[in-house]
Amino acid sequence: MVIVSGAGRPTPPINRLADELVADIMAMSDAELLAEVEAEGLNVEDEADRIRAIISTATARSGKSRLQAARAEIDRVAGTGRGQVHRLPLRDRAAVLARFANDDTKLKSRLTMAARNGEGITEKEMDDILADLRELGAIDEDGNPI
């Protein structure tokens, strides 16, 4: 068993020692391992519970770390699809939408319907429409028509 330290890099001595210790433990039979634990004056059940807790904690940390990495990747990918337009001030984003609303009757109707109900389009709806326009290639990252 080898602990990976990186491509082409030598394994630090402490990692080689840990590898050897793990290999020795893994090579032991259950009876040998139990005898070793008892010889150390330790309670087998307590040690088993302690090791299970260590493994459980490490598994949970690893899972959280992988989840955070996945969320970061989703945010990164989502951000690249939206470009910079979602970072523009609200009035500038509204101006980009207004330009397209004048040429797109369906969009104009949607915006007008929202105004008639006394509710303006929400900022999230605006960002979603702008993201769609960006993905369709209708606008660039800054909201300019392409």
Side-chain angles (χ1 to χ4, degrees), residues 12-128:
I14 190 73
N15 289 359
R16 287 195 304 271
L17 175 61
D19 288 346
E20 291 298 320
L21 291 172
V22 168
D24 287 347
I25 292 170
M26 296 301 289
M28 289 179 156
S29 69
D30 290 349
E32 290 172 323
L33 185 58
L34 291 173
E36 185 85 21
V37 170
E38 289 173 353
E40 291 292 322
L42 301 170
N43 180 295
V44 173
E45 289 301 319
D46 290 345
E47 285 304 299
D49 289 343
R50 186 178 72 79
I51 297 300
R52 280 189 202 100
I54 290 170
I55 292 170
S56 179
T57 299
T59 302
R61 284 183 183 156
S62 173
K64 286 179 184 176
S65 175
R66 291 177 62 206
L67 179 60
Q68 287 174 341
R71 283 184 179 153
E73 179 64 12
I74 288 169
D75 290 345
R76 185 191 67 75
V77 169
T80 58
R82 292 176 109 177
Q84 301 296 320
V85 71
H86 73 284
R87 294 186 180 144
L88 293 173
L90 186 58
R91 73 171 190 286
D92 292 346
R93 286 181 279 164
V96 171
L97 279 183
R99 270 196 312 258
F100 279 91
N102 289 334
D103 295 332
D104 184 334
T105 55
K106 187 176 177 183
L107 178 57
K108 189 172 191 169
S109 171
R110 186 173 165 190
L111 296 174
T112 303
M113 191 69 81
R116 276 194 214 137
N117 290 338
E119 309 166 6
I121 187 171
T122 67
E123 193 169 346
K124 182 181 179 340
E125 289 172 320
M126 183 182 303
D127 287 341
D128 290 345

